[in-house]
Amino acid sequence: MTHRTLSQGFTVVSGHVPPGDPRSQLDWKALAATRTTLVLLMAVKCLPEITEALIDGGLPALTPAAIVAEGSTARQQSWTGTLADIAAISEASSVRPPAIVVIGDVAGLRLT
């Protein structure tokens, strides 16, 4: 989630309530301003609204993003893209929970 030259921190939030919903307690603009890694749990359904809110909040549309579904199991799958297209990639790939979304420069790394 962090990398010496890319990110000094990370924030983990739940994405099960979309931005703009009266139940939402998150300040997506403030999250966008941190420029640290964002880890979204339970966000698959609301990903289009979340990515739009982050872009509107000033996070560059070309920020790397990744989805990991069924992590640490034999069925693990992952997809990568940018903040601007990760929701479309998720929909086109029929991503289903459980999955996490990682947004930030570290999402663009391929560690072997």
Side-chain angles (χ1 to χ4, degrees):
M1 295 300 113
T2 63
H3 186 280
R4 185 176 309 249
T5 62
L6 298 177
S7 178
Q8 295 180 6
F10 63 93
T11 303
V12 180
V13 299
S14 172
H16 75 284
V17 177
D21 186 294
R23 300 170 295 150
S24 179
Q25 300 172 349
L26 298 175
D27 182 341
W28 292 100
K29 185 174 183 176
L31 290 170
T34 68
R35 302 297 169 116
T36 59
T37 304
L38 299 177
V39 179
L40 311 177
L41 308 177
M42 301 181 288
V44 171
K45 180 178 176 184
C46 299
L47 197 52
E49 295 92 343
I50 291 169
T51 56
E52 181 180 347
L54 290 169
I55 292 169
D56 288 349
L59 194 57
L62 294 179
T63 301
I67 300 171
V68 179
E70 299 192 57
S72 76
T73 73
R75 296 174 307 279
Q76 179 174 315
Q77 292 183 279
S78 62
W79 300 265
T80 58
T82 66
L83 184 59
D85 65 12
I86 198 67
I89 290 168
S90 176
E91 186 174 332
S93 302
S94 299
V95 175
R96 298 287 174 250
I100 64 167
V101 179
V102 179
I103 299 170
D105 289 336
V106 297
L109 294 176
R110 283 283 185 198
L111 301 178
T112 58

